[in-house]
Amino acid sequence: GDCRRPAEQHIQSGSRFLVVIFRPPLYKSRGQKPRQFFIMDVSTTSAIIAEAEQIRQRYKKLAPLDALEDEKDYKTIVHSIEPARLAAILKTKFSSDGMCKVGPAGLKEEQARIFFEVYGPNKITPPQKENKWIKLLRMAFCGIFNILLWMCVLAMTILLFAFDDSKQEVRAEAGIKPGSPGFNDTVIELDEAGGDDIVTPILLSVIIVATAMLQWYTEMLAEDAMEAMQKMQGDKPVRCVRRADDGNRTDVEKDVEHLVPGDIIFLEAGDRIPADVRILYCTDGMEVDNSALTGESMPEPRHSKTEKESQPPTEARNLAFFGTTVLKGNATCLVHATGDSTFLGKIAQSIKTSYVKSTLEIQIEHFVHFIAIIAVFVGLVSLGVKVVQKAAPADTIQYTASALFSQVPEGLLPTVTISLMFASAEMVRRKVLVRKIDAVETLGCVSVFCSDKTGTLTKGEMTVQDLVICKSAASITTEGMNVIVRETGYKWPKTASGTCQNLSVCGLLNNGAEVKVDEEGNDLWTGSPTEVAIMRACAEIQGGKEGAKAIRSAPENTKLFEIPFNSENKWMLTVHGQAGARKSFAILKGAPDRVLKFCSLSDAAIKVIEGEMQKLMSDARRVLAIARRDITSPPMKYEGTGPTDCNFPMKDFEFIGLYGIEDPPKDGVAEAVIKATRAGVKVVMVTGDHPDTARAIAKRINILPENATEEFAVVAGVQLDTRVPKGDNFGDDEPEDNVKWWKKVVSQARVFARVSPIHKQVIVQAYQKYGYGGIGDICAMTGDGVNDAPALKQAEVGVAMGIRGTEVAKDAADIVLQDDDFSSIINGIEQGRLCSANLRKSIMYTLCSKVPQFAPTLAMVFGVPEALTIAQVLLIDIGTDIWTAIAYAFQPAESKLMARAPRHPKLVKLADWGVGVYSYCYVGIMQTFFCWFMFFTLPGIMKIWSEGKDAPESDEDHIVALQGKTVYYWTLVMGQIAAALSTTTERQSLFTYGLPNMMLNLAFLFEVVLGVAAIYVPFMHGAFGTWNLPTADVLKPISALVIITLIEEVRKGIFRYLEDRGMCSWCLDVAKNPDMMSEDGSTDSDGSASSSYDSEDSDEDEEKVRKKPLLVC
């Protein structure tokens, strides 16, 4: 009733309205709040919906006819549509000259609002992130090793409560009551079975949850760092023009997210392009940096002319793309695509987000299967022993379960996490941000490192490397030319300031670059990269920017006239002098072949100059020439656009010199490549640059040998076009010639040039399928651009650049280099290998005690008195071993860690047969021998055994039996300390390595203190079935520690002796890398390991890898 009257008033007006009545459910029964209503104009809503559909239909006209509704590829014909038609399609307006500097232009504000509702914010949809609390729960409960440990906790808890009642029944059946004779002995015997061990499941639960929280916290820190980095690199508002509702012009600054198709924006040098745009107007010589999309370091020119529809949009010069940068010039642009519809957005959405298991997860899964088999075997044997002894069912089940659980290394989980955290923290200190903690271990297994060139191996900025000068035009043929090259550290020699004076002054005056100061007071160089490079070099020769400023601001150097660089002339000309003076001078700079035409040089002189040009270009330099001439009779006003219409002389220029320009390698990259090669990691350059440029840079940074003669040393992108796989990845049904071709390529190639984004992904897939003799390489991929993102996602380890890198690349990567230093990630390989080696050592140590722990169970079949109780086993596993195993996470590297081939997870697993032989058949047997030796040499033990008594009858025998268990336990503790000392190094002597791990040293001390307490502290006697030992019996087991350690030192000494002579390393490394072996059976002369295959018959190599026996020293 209360809403009927206003509704009737609206209906009478002739409009269609929808009356919506709303009563909140909370008040429905109480009647405390009246009904609410609102009236929606149906005609207006329908108009908005209809307008949105019209917008979508008009927008389809910007795409080719074959484009699908949900097209995943980037398809557009906007570059081929005339501006007037574009304005009609997008309902926008701009001036006929395209500049839009005056008069109404752009979208109407109401239209822009509707467009925003239709197209959404101008931002790329980020990958869906997992809820942080769900992530924590997954880490705590869902890993395969976590599940195994939780099963142990659950079983222990069930047994704890299930057999508590059975103990009472046993006592009652025996007629034993508290205070009666024999009560305490019975309690001890029952407790030895572990039934009252409530501490073990609680401690194990705490360890699992705490470990998950540590890993979760580490990855959360990495995510926070990524978000902070993104905020620091936020885009500034964009200058934009729109029309008010009355049609008048409004100049506004809009946040990038609020741009919509149809907006007119203004860009200038240094601006990051905020959306995909069609250029309506630009200054002559405008250039953009597309390296983030294409991988090419050279700037690309832009114009406003309409292109042909057959031209691919990514190659159209009247388009500019989201995420790229304006290097030179100004432009007025029409936004035609935003957010996910941009070229960058299409690539971002095409990246597969499917989860791929890390090598560590695969290794842990294999280890769980390995341990499960051992544990089940031990459990079955224990069950058989108890059945033979005709033990009670409760005792049998309890004993069997405890024996089975004792084979599970509870300390592995925290060891893995803490090792990864420690390595991750070390990498963060080196400006390497680890987003996915598992990637640290995988990094240590990398055998092929595919790296982008621009911004990763090189600085990502053009730099003048060479200056070629002549004293005078007449001396060129007689004296030749002087070549000035930058010295180490990219400094010019001191003599350059004198000999290059004329060249540097001309370079400063004939230059469109500018030096500004940003908000933080840093120098900001703007302009074309080539111009900036020449400006920097010339300013350095003149003593810095102040000297350059003084030269440019001198009255006699005032710029009077300029002909900007254009693609037709390929040169830039400036005229300088004082206004009204009778004399001025012109400077001409540009392509050498064009500049030399205007110079007065003999054919012989030109030949000399061309020879110097060829030398520079063979080193992948971009060469520019510069010349000068005096104008003695200057015109009143300089005019002209080229050599035919200038009103001043355009001939007889004096040749000044040449600039050799390149994107130089970063400091330390060449050394990092050598370090990687010596570590058995092959570094491969994958770039969009020209093959000659890539080849020259690769040789300078040691990727490509100077005398490389392999057929596929440098592979061009056109060669890959017909070699891509049939499906999304290489399968077993690939054509045979394709397989053979790729096997040669992955073994020989060091450089891939002129490649597209899809090529990069295919290259990684090829190494993963055909590398390492057909087993597959473990690949890392570095990159900073959008074009690198698919390959970053494909690789086992994706590494993105933090400063230059696009958000798409960072989202696809596992590791982010915060300082963009390639050397840091090579150092990260060492951290990854150290982490992997420490995990392997921790496993070896933990498994050593399993044989002496199981031996007493087996011996009981032969009537040997019980030598070790389950409570003592758990005291070793939970009380001491777990902390020692965790301490391995802090173990420093051995001296030759980076002088060996990487561990391939398919060949050398964290827990393979080698670990089993070492732990079970070598150290474990030695420990077992000493434990039995100390046990049987204890007075009274042989008497009990010889009499064949199932249980001690007298108090004296009972004490001897307890002492026998104690000495066995104490010897095993000493044996485990010996095992820990032995496994701290794989090959290096303990006497040279020392004991640098203080955490491990504290763990040793804790083991000794706990062991002594178990011997002498009364309340521990009842809990663990121990007894006081004479001092002599406490000291004798120390001999086990010394002897086992010395035997290990002898083994390592033999190992090193054979390794130094190329024998033992051959057995261990050549089995993993057959190509290390030359025809005479020797290894590489530099002692380094190689991870590639040079043999054409990779199938035979694979068989060698799989069947080659390894020597266990």
Side-chain angles (χ1 to χ4, degrees):
D2 52 4
C3 73
R4 184 179 303 155
R5 190 174 297 106
E8 290 174 348
Q9 294 173 359
H10 285 288
I11 292 170
Q12 289 173 1
S13 67
S15 299
R16 295 175 61 201
F17 285 84
L18 174 67
V19 180
V20 181
I21 301 174
F22 169 66
R23 170 181 282 171
L26 181 63
Y27 300 98
K28 187 173 182 180
S29 59
R30 299 177 185 177
Q32 297 177 359
K33 188 173 182 178
R35 292 179 296 178
Q36 300 176 350
F37 70 93
F38 61 90
I39 300 172
M40 181 184 297
D41 189 335
V42 177
S43 59
T44 304
T45 307
S46 300
I48 293 174
I49 296 173
E51 176 69 15
E53 183 58 30
Q54 291 176 12
I55 292 170
R56 292 189 181 94
Q57 293 301 322
R58 288 198 305 268
Y59 192 72
K60 287 182 181 179
K61 297 179 181 179
L62 300 181
L65 296 176
D66 61 346
L68 303 176
E69 187 72 28
D70 57 344
E71 183 65 59
K72 295 181 180 180
D73 294 331
Y74 186 74
K75 292 184 178 181
T76 183
I77 57 172
V78 69
H79 57 288
S80 64
I81 301 176
E82 293 295 333
R85 185 160 176 253
L86 277 177
I89 292 173
L90 295 175
K91 293 292 184 180
T92 189
K93 184 176 183 180
F94 39 82
S95 59
S96 58
D97 60 2
M99 296 180 66
C100 301
K101 295 296 184 181
V102 294
L107 293 169
K108 287 186 176 181
E109 287 291 353
E110 179 64 18
Q111 284 178 317
R113 185 187 66 78
I114 296 174
F115 278 28
F116 186 82
E117 294 294 330
V118 174
Y119 297 113
N122 177 32
K123 63 179 182 180
I124 295 173
T125 304
Q128 188 173 0
K129 290 186 178 180
E130 185 179 19
N131 181 279
K132 60 182 181 180
W133 303 116
I134 294 177
K135 185 175 186 177
L136 176 59
L137 292 174
R138 176 177 58 78
M139 288 180 173
F141 296 100
C142 294
I144 186 168
F145 197 68
N146 296 52
I147 292 173
L148 178 65
L149 294 179
W150 282 120
M151 287 174 64
C152 291
V153 170
L154 180 63
M156 288 178 183
T157 305
I158 292 173
L159 291 173
L160 173 68
F161 291 102
F163 290 103
D164 186 61
D165 294 336
S166 66
K167 289 181 180 182
Q168 303 297 334
E169 294 174 4
V170 171
R171 293 168 189 165
E173 290 175 1
I176 301 173
K177 299 179 180 179
S180 63
F183 175 79
N184 291 332
D185 291 342
T186 305
V187 170
I188 290 174
E189 291 174 4
L190 290 170
D191 288 347
E192 283 175 357
D196 287 342
D197 185 18
I198 194 172
V199 175
T200 299
I202 292 176
L203 180 59
L204 195 52
S205 301
V206 170
I207 289 172
I208 299 170
V209 174
T211 299
M213 292 187 71
L214 283 174
Q215 182 178 352
W216 175 79
Y217 177 70
T218 302
E219 294 193 5
M220 286 296 103
L221 287 179
E223 285 192 16
D224 291 342
M226 281 290 296
E227 291 176 1
M229 196 184 303
Q230 291 170 0
K231 290 177 181 178
M232 290 174 61
Q233 298 176 346
D235 293 307
K236 64 179 183 179
V238 180
R239 290 193 300 123
C240 177
V241 60
R242 284 182 178 172
R243 288 175 289 162
D245 293 337
D246 57 5
N248 291 326
R249 174 191 180 95
T250 57
D251 289 289
V252 294
E253 285 195 347
K254 288 287 182 181
D255 289 335
V256 170
E257 287 191 10
H258 293 144
L259 293 179
V260 296
D263 267 330
I264 305 297
I265 62 174
F266 303 100
L267 301 174
E268 58 185 22
D271 285 348
R272 185 170 178 267
I273 298 172
D276 281 7
V277 297
R278 163 73 185 270
I279 299 172
L280 302 175
Y281 164 82
C282 66
T283 55
D284 289 339
M286 177 186 175
E287 294 178 344
V288 295
D289 178 11
N290 276 352
S291 60
L293 295 177
T294 64
E296 294 195 40
S297 57
M298 295 300 296
E300 296 186 13
R302 284 295 179 264
H303 59 66
S304 58
K305 300 175 184 177
T306 303
E307 299 266 10
K308 296 180 180 179
E309 186 174 340
S310 59
Q311 182 82 348
T314 53
E315 298 178 11
R317 294 192 171 183
N318 61 357
L319 299 182
F321 301 100
F322 185 23
T324 60
T325 306
V326 180
L327 297 175
K328 178 182 177 182
N330 303 321
T332 302
C333 304
L334 169 68
V335 175
H336 70 85
T338 59
D340 292 338
S341 298
T342 61
F343 183 38
L344 189 151
K346 290 289 185 181
I347 294 178
Q349 299 307 313
S350 69
I351 298 174
K352 293 182 179 180
T353 57
S354 59
Y355 177 72
V356 179
K357 285 185 179 180
S358 67
T359 58
L360 180 61
E361 288 174 299
I362 295 172
Q363 297 292 292
I364 294 297
E365 188 173 325
H366 173 269
F367 178 69
V368 169
H369 296 158
F370 176 79
I371 287 299
I373 294 171
I374 299 294
V376 170
F377 173 76
V378 170
L380 291 175
V381 173
S382 301
L383 176 63
V385 170
K386 285 297 179 182
V387 170
V388 171
Q389 291 180 332
K390 298 181 181 179
D395 183 31
T396 299
I397 296 174
Q398 182 74 19
Y399 192 89
T400 301
S402 298
L404 188 149
F405 299 150
S406 69
Q407 297 298 313
V408 178
E410 299 87 353
L412 178 62
L413 186 63
T415 303
V416 169
T417 302
I418 294 174
S419 294
L420 294 174
M421 285 183 60
F422 185 71
S424 176
E426 282 294 315
M427 293 172 74
V428 167
R429 279 194 281 273
R430 299 182 185 187
K431 301 295 183 181
V432 180
L433 181 64
V434 180
R435 297 188 63 205
K436 186 180 177 185
I437 197 169
D438 289 0
V440 176
E441 190 274 340
T442 308
L443 190 60
C445 300
V446 165
S447 55
V448 170
F449 217 113
C450 299
S451 177
D452 182 39
K453 179 182 76 70
T454 305
T456 305
L457 299 173
T458 63
K459 289 187 172 182
E461 61 182 30
M462 303 304 291
T463 304
V464 176
Q465 292 291 102
D466 310 271
L467 300 174
V468 182
I469 59 173
C470 54
K471 295 179 180 179
S472 65
S475 67
I476 293 178
T477 55
T478 57
E479 300 180 15
M481 305 186 72
N482 294 332
V483 181
I484 312 297
V485 183
R486 283 186 187 266
E487 296 176 341
T488 304
Y490 298 101
K491 300 293 183 183
W492 292 109
K494 295 180 180 179
T495 57
S497 59
T499 57
C500 300
Q501 182 69 22
N502 198 14
L503 185 69
S504 62
V505 171
C506 290
L508 288 171
L509 298 180
N510 185 280
N511 204 305
E514 297 290 340
V515 185
K516 302 177 182 178
V517 179
D518 60 16
E519 297 176 355
E520 299 178 359
N522 300 318
D523 292 340
L524 183 64
W525 301 77
T526 61
S528 163
T530 304
E531 299 282 83
V532 169
I534 294 175
M535 174 75 80
R536 283 178 182 269
C538 296
E540 290 168 3
I541 292 172
Q542 294 296 330
K545 66 175 184 178
E546 295 301 327
K549 184 177 180 181
I551 291 173
R552 300 187 74 179
S553 60
E556 64 273 16
N557 293 332
T558 303
K559 186 188 293 185
L560 304 176
F561 179 70
E562 177 181 4
I563 299 179
F565 178 90
N566 61 60
S567 57
E568 184 179 348
N569 290 336
K570 293 189 176 180
W571 48 256
M572 171 184 180
L573 181 138
T574 56
V575 179
H576 303 267
Q578 286 185 318
R582 295 184 177 180
K583 186 178 180 181
S584 58
F585 60 93
I587 302 174
L588 184 69
K589 181 186 73 199
D593 59 326
R594 300 295 180 94
V595 172
L596 291 178
K597 291 179 180 179
F598 298 102
C599 297
S600 55
L601 294 169
S602 65
D603 291 342
I606 291 177
K607 190 173 182 180
V608 172
I609 295 171
E610 288 178 343
E612 295 295 338
M613 289 165 45
Q614 291 300 323
K615 291 179 184 178
L616 293 176
M617 288 189 289
S618 64
D619 288 334
R621 305 285 200 270
R622 183 185 183 189
V623 183
L624 293 182
I626 194 164
R628 182 186 186 278
R629 74 151 290 163
D630 292 330
I631 303 175
T632 54
S633 299
M636 294 294 294
K637 181 181 179 182
Y638 288 94
E639 295 178 349
T641 59
T644 58
D645 62 351
C646 288
N647 61 349
F648 55 91
M650 282 290 291
K651 60 180 180 178
D652 297 332
F653 277 79
E654 176 191 357
F655 178 75
I656 302 299
L658 302 172
Y659 300 100
I661 307 170
E662 70 164 356
D663 178 11
K666 289 182 178 178
D667 294 334
V669 167
E671 293 78 9
V673 172
I674 292 176
K675 184 177 180 180
T677 303
R678 288 177 177 171
V681 180
K682 180 166 67 176
V683 181
V684 179
M685 180 189 291
V686 184
T687 178
D689 257 351
H690 192 277
D692 291 340
T693 304
R695 184 191 298 270
I697 295 294
K699 287 183 177 180
R700 289 175 57 190
I701 58 178
N702 303 312
I703 288 178
L704 188 67
E706 284 289 340
N707 56 349
T709 58
E710 291 90 347
E711 179 185 359
F712 295 107
V714 179
V715 180
V718 292
Q719 296 174 267
L720 303 178
D721 289 335
T722 59
R723 302 291 183 177
V724 296
K726 295 179 179 179
D728 293 335
N729 205 333
F730 289 100
D732 296 331
D733 58 343
E734 294 294 325
E736 186 177 349
D737 64 327
N738 217 27
V739 173
K740 288 183 178 180
W741 189 87
W742 273 114
K743 286 184 176 181
K744 284 185 178 181
V745 167
V746 297
S747 68
Q748 297 179 10
R750 294 296 183 273
V751 176
F752 293 89
R754 281 283 190 237
V755 295
S756 66
I758 190 62
H759 287 156
K760 292 189 175 186
Q761 187 174 9
V762 168
I763 290 166
V764 174
Q765 291 172 342
Y767 276 110
Q768 292 171 333
K769 176 68 175 178
Y770 303 115
Y772 223 95
I775 297 173
D777 279 301
I778 304 299
C779 287
M781 176 71 193
T782 65
D784 57 357
V786 178
N787 61 319
D788 301 320
L792 291 174
K793 197 73 177 179
Q794 178 68 42
E796 279 85 357
V797 182
V799 184
M801 303 295 115
I803 299 173
R804 286 176 51 91
T806 61
E807 296 308 316
V808 176
K810 294 175 191 175
D811 286 336
D814 304 298
I815 294 174
V816 177
L817 299 183
Q818 293 176 302
D819 58 358
D820 288 9
D821 189 356
F822 177 79
S823 306
S824 300
I825 198 62
I826 299 300
N827 293 330
I829 291 179
E830 184 174 4
Q831 287 296 323
R833 288 194 181 185
L834 176 60
C835 175
S836 180
N838 287 345
L839 289 178
R840 189 172 168 88
K841 291 174 182 178
S842 177
I843 292 171
M844 291 165 68
Y845 161 77
T846 305
L847 298 182
C848 283
S849 64
K850 302 309 175 186
V851 173
Q853 287 177 356
F854 172 64
T857 301
L858 197 59
M860 290 171 67
V861 176
F862 304 99
V864 177
E866 186 178 23
L868 192 70
T869 68
I870 291 299
Q872 290 169 348
V873 169
L874 294 176
L875 179 62
I876 292 172
D877 286 349
I878 303 295
T880 57
D881 277 6
I882 191 172
W883 312 115
T884 307
I886 291 172
Y888 275 91
F890 304 95
Q891 195 71 17
E894 294 182 52
S895 59
K896 292 187 178 181
L897 180 66
M898 290 295 286
R900 302 169 188 150
R903 179 184 64 83
H904 197 294
K906 290 184 180 179
L907 295 175
V908 184
K909 297 177 171 59
L910 282 175
D912 57 2
W913 68 267
V915 171
V917 168
Y918 181 90
S919 299
Y920 291 115
C921 304
Y922 175 52
V923 177
I925 293 297
M926 287 193 290
Q927 288 180 340
T928 304
F929 169 78
F930 283 105
C931 286
W932 283 126
F933 179 80
M934 299 300 170
F935 178 79
F936 284 116
T937 55
L938 191 74
I941 289 294
M942 293 298 294
K943 177 179 176 248
I944 296 176
W945 185 25
S946 62
E947 293 176 355
K949 298 177 181 178
D950 293 334
E953 296 178 353
S954 64
D955 291 341
E956 182 181 349
D957 287 346
H958 184 72
I959 291 174
V960 170
L962 289 176
Q963 286 181 329
K965 297 173 187 176
T966 305
V967 78
Y968 192 101
Y969 158 77
W970 176 241
T971 306
L972 182 51
V973 169
M974 292 294 101
Q976 277 299 87
I977 294 177
L981 290 172
S982 300
T983 53
T984 51
T985 63
E986 183 182 347
R987 308 186 186 187
Q988 190 173 350
S989 172
L990 196 61
F991 296 106
T992 58
Y993 182 77
L995 298 173
N997 187 351
M998 289 306 300
M999 295 297 293
L1000 189 61
N1001 298 339
L1002 291 174
F1004 293 158
L1005 181 61
F1006 178 70
E1007 284 194 49
V1008 173
V1009 170
L1010 188 64
V1012 171
I1015 297 172
Y1016 294 110
V1017 175
F1019 81 85
M1020 294 187 72
H1021 292 170
F1024 299 103
T1026 56
W1027 199 259
N1028 294 341
L1029 290 177
T1031 304
D1033 291 326
V1034 172
L1035 296 178
K1036 281 194 295 184
I1038 297 176
S1039 62
L1041 187 158
V1042 176
I1043 294 173
I1044 292 174
T1045 304
L1046 290 177
I1047 291 174
E1048 257 294 88
E1049 283 299 304
V1050 173
R1051 182 195 69 84
K1052 293 174 184 176
I1054 296 172
F1055 194 104
R1056 292 192 302 273
Y1057 177 83
L1058 296 175
E1059 184 181 39
D1060 292 341
R1061 283 150 184 79
M1063 297 166 64
C1064 198
S1065 63
W1066 188 93
C1067 298
L1068 289 171
D1069 291 333
V1070 176
K1072 294 174 277 185
N1073 298 286
D1075 66 319
M1076 289 177 60
M1077 182 180 66
S1078 61
E1079 292 182 1
D1080 62 354
S1082 61
T1083 52
D1084 294 341
S1085 58
D1086 63 353
S1088 64
S1090 173
S1091 61
S1092 62
Y1093 288 80
D1094 294 328
S1095 172
E1096 294 184 9
D1097 194 350
S1098 298
D1099 293 334
E1100 292 184 8
D1101 283 340
E1102 184 175 353
E1103 286 302 310
K1104 290 179 184 178
V1105 172
R1106 297 190 187 281
K1107 296 180 179 180
K1108 178 74 70 175
L1110 298 183
L1111 177 63
V1112 179
C1113 297

